[in-house]
């Protein structure tokens, strides 16, 4: 692929939340029936329950925000939101309750202005039972749900206290969602966590997760495929090994010293009918050497439903040994092009300057991104997305930036969402290098 032109200037950053205290772990989705409609839902520090939700109808320039799940019709929400629009304009929201052994699924048919619970997904009976309020705890018996919709289906996966649990439902129109099938533990995923799910062009479904042999090392990525999705065929009787990451479940790096990071493997499946139709992509972090804090972002792809995978392509183009972490991948359904975004400490050499807030190397982060227009074989020169530099320790959030960030790519424009305490926009009520707000930007695919 020819090299892209010089990356554009840093895009306009928008502080979406503008709330006192911390917001983190953001999900973002663009409505394919109205691409000017974008929705963000995030964790928020509140006395008892709730999440922050924001809606834009002008392509992300302005936002209207509110607290949801604060003992309203969504119950007492804890955290871990996941969002996905489908081709009908349905917006699905998965999250966790403060206390409970289930995963609620909520639906919005008005572009995120309101939600109603349509299902409570209960883990298989063999799973462990949550017995107390574990809000913001490092360990949960039900953890990190991910919801994905499209191709007339909606699927959710989550860590069910050991294995990855998966279930899906048919969708036939706006507000027309059928019953979820009986949840199943995906074979070969015991002690495999931080999962994701994707839907293929034939309705097949892939789950991905990482085994974490030790707290700070090891780490292997595995996938499993249900060949007919909602049909009678089950997931495979074993999972397929993809790659080692050298990142365990709790890899403490300077930029995420309290919460730690995982490889955060994520999927995107091409259903566009274009030249790479049927290709599924996997993004993940990989530590060059165990406990080195030198983490890079890689993408692999498979053209045979996950049976075999390409070599990993390094996405970040810096020459430092600093950390790139918590990646996200999104495929533009209008073109099949890819966007990847991540937190990046490349500019924090501990020598002062725009990328260093405290004279300590590798503990400050910005948000960077890149695009691919040739099916994940090469990526553009990296683009700095965040205008400011953040330090998660200064937020005193307990979970730093959190376990994941957000990204949605549609119509040639990538919309990342991230946790930021740089106050680069000047409207964080907590000021600079204090609590985290949720930022976003509109990042167009660069011209070549």
């Amino acid at each position: 692929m020819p090299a892209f032109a010089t990356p554009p200037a840093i895009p306009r950053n928008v502080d979406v939340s503008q709330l006192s205290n911390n917001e983190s772990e953001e999900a973002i989705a663009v409505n394919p029936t109205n691409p000017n409609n974008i929705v963000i839902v995030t964790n928020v520090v509140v006395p008892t329950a709730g999440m922050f939700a924001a809606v834009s109808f002008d392509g992300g320039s302005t936002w209207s925000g509110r607290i949801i799940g604060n003992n309203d019709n969504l119950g007492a929400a804890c955290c871990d939101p996941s969002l996905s629009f489908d081709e009908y304009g349905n917006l699905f929201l998965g999250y966790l309750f403060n206390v409970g052994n289930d995963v609620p699924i909520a639906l919005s048919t008005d572009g995120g202005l309101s939600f109603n619970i349509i299902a409570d997904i209960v883990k298989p009976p063999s799973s462990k039972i949550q017995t107390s309020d574990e809000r913001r705890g490092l360990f949960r018996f039900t953890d990190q749900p991910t919801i994905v919709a499209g191709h007339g289906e909606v699927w959710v996966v989550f860590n069910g206290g050991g294995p990855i649990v998966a279930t899906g439902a048919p969708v036939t129109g706006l507000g027309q969602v059928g019953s979820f099938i009986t949840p199943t533990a995906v074979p070969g995923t015991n002690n495999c966590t931080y999962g994701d799910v994707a839907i293929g062009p034939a309705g097949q479904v892939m789950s991905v997760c990482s085994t974490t042999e030790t707290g700070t090392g090891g780490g292997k990525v595995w996938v499993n495929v249900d060949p007919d999705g909602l049909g009678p065929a089950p997931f495979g009787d074993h999972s397929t090994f993809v790659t080692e990451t050298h990142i365990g479940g709790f890899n403490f790096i300077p930029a995420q010293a309290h919460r730690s990071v995982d490889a955060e493997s994520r999927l995107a499946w091409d259903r566009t009918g274009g030249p790479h139709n049927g290709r599924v992509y996997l993004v993940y972090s990989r530590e060059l050497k165990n406990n080195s804090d030198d983490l890079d972002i890689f993408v692999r792809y498979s053209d045979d439903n996950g049976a075999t995978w390409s070599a990993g392509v390094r996405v970040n183009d810096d020459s430092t040994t600093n950390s790139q972490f918590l990646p996200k991948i999104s495929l533009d359904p209008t073109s099949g092009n890819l966007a990847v975004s991540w937190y990046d400490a490349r500019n924090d050499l501990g020598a002062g300057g725009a990328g260093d807030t405290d004279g300590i190397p590798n503990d400050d982060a910005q948000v960077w991104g890149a695009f691919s227009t040739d099916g994940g074989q090469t990526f553009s020169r990296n683009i700095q997305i965040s205008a400011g530099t953040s330090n998660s320790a200064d937020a005193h959030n307990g979970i730093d930036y959190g376990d994941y960030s957000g990204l949605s790519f549609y119509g040639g424009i990538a919309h990342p969402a991230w946790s930021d305490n740089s106050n680069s926009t000047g409207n964080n009520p907590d000021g600079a290098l204090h609590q985290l707000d949720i930022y976003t930007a509109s990042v167009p695919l660069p011209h070549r």
Side-chain angles (χ1 to χ4, degrees):
M1 181 180 69
F4 282 102
T6 301
I10 296 172
R12 172 178 174 261
N13 286 196
V14 178
D15 184 342
V16 176
S17 57
Q18 299 182 39
L19 294 176
S20 184
N21 220 323
N22 283 297
E23 299 86 58
S24 59
E25 294 189 345
E26 42 285 325
I28 186 169
V30 176
N31 187 347
T33 69
N34 176 12
N36 286 321
N37 176 205
I38 311 172
V39 181
I40 292 175
V41 179
T42 79
N43 293 352
V44 60
V45 176
V46 292
T48 55
M51 299 178 295
F52 172 74
V55 178
S56 175
F57 285 100
D58 58 10
S61 294
T62 61
W63 296 81
S64 175
R66 67 195 190 280
I67 300 298
I68 63 174
N70 54 344
N71 291 296
D72 58 10
N73 66 312
L74 300 185
C78 161
C79 46
D80 285 10
S82 179
L83 286 172
S84 183
F85 271 107
D86 70 6
E87 64 269 34
Y88 303 112
N90 293 302
L91 176 59
F92 296 91
L93 167 65
Y95 59 101
L96 298 178
F97 285 132
N98 256 345
V99 179
N101 195 40
D102 49 351
V103 174
I105 305 299
L107 172 65
S108 174
T109 57
D110 56 11
L113 294 174
S114 64
F115 288 93
N116 291 289
I117 291 177
I118 59 170
D120 259 347
I121 309 303
V122 179
K123 297 184 298 183
S126 60
S127 297
K128 297 177 182 178
I129 303 298
Q130 183 179 343
T131 57
S132 63
D133 186 345
E134 295 171 327
R135 183 178 177 83
R136 312 214 178 278
L138 192 60
F139 300 95
R140 298 185 61 89
F141 291 112
T142 301
D143 193 20
Q144 201 165 323
T146 301
I147 197 162
V148 170
H151 198 270
E153 305 175 42
V154 55
W155 280 83
V156 61
V157 296
F158 56 92
N159 181 356
I164 296 295
V165 175
T167 183
V171 184
T172 56
L174 184 64
Q176 304 301 309
V177 184
S179 299
F180 280 81
I181 62 176
T182 302
T184 183
V186 179
T189 63
N190 200 35
N191 298 319
C192 194
T193 188
Y194 310 114
D196 194 16
V197 63
I199 302 169
Q204 67 271 54
V205 174
M206 179 180 291
S207 77
V208 65
C209 60
S210 297
T211 51
T212 54
E213 290 87 349
T214 65
T216 60
K220 296 180 179 180
V221 176
W222 302 82
V223 298
N224 200 324
V225 175
D226 182 326
D228 62 355
L230 297 173
F235 280 93
D237 58 7
H238 65 277
S239 292
T240 300
F241 168 73
V242 180
T243 185
E244 295 191 22
T245 66
H246 305 157
I247 297 177
F250 303 99
N251 196 325
F252 295 90
I253 62 174
Q256 189 101 325
H258 299 95
R259 181 61 166 181
S260 76
V261 298
D262 63 271
E264 201 57 20
S265 49
R266 296 283 166 170
L267 297 169
W269 212 327
D270 191 331
R271 302 192 304 267
T272 63
H276 302 295
N277 187 63
R279 178 168 290 183
V280 60
Y281 301 91
L282 167 69
V283 69
Y284 59 96
S285 294
R286 181 180 184 272
E287 192 168 33
L288 181 64
K289 181 181 178 182
N290 193 30
N291 293 324
S292 67
D293 300 328
D294 183 5
L295 278 66
D296 293 316
I297 308 301
F298 286 85
V299 167
R300 294 173 183 257
Y301 60 83
S302 173
D303 291 320
D304 55 11
N305 289 332
T308 61
W309 292 83
S310 70
V313 175
R314 186 175 185 253
V315 181
N316 55 292
D317 60 8
D318 65 300
S319 58
T320 75
T321 57
N322 286 9
S323 302
Q324 285 79 33
F325 57 102
L326 301 185
K328 200 77 171 184
I329 191 168
S330 184
L331 187 143
D332 185 344
T334 70
S335 66
N337 293 330
L338 294 172
V340 178
S341 62
W342 62 90
Y343 290 96
D344 196 316
R346 71 175 69 189
N347 286 327
D348 183 15
L349 303 180
D356 178 26
T357 70
D358 56 8
I360 301 171
N362 207 21
D363 74 332
D364 297 309
Q366 300 161 336
V367 172
W368 286 66
F371 295 91
S372 177
T373 60
D374 61 1
Q377 297 178 77
T378 62
F379 283 83
S380 68
R381 291 181 59 181
N382 293 177
I383 300 165
Q384 184 177 336
I385 295 172
S386 64
T389 301
S390 295
N391 184 289
S392 66
D394 288 340
H396 301 287
N397 192 25
I399 61 170
D400 295 326
Y401 301 113
D403 293 332
Y404 55 89
S405 58
L407 178 65
S408 188
F409 187 24
Y410 189 90
I413 300 176
H415 298 274
W418 69 92
S419 304
D420 190 305
N421 64 357
S422 70
N423 197 28
S424 64
T425 56
N427 51 0
N428 183 336
D430 298 306
L433 298 178
H434 292 296
Q435 281 68 44
L436 297 159
D437 276 5
I438 302 303
Y439 276 52
T440 191
S442 296
V443 188
L445 180 74
H447 296 294
R448 289 186 288 177

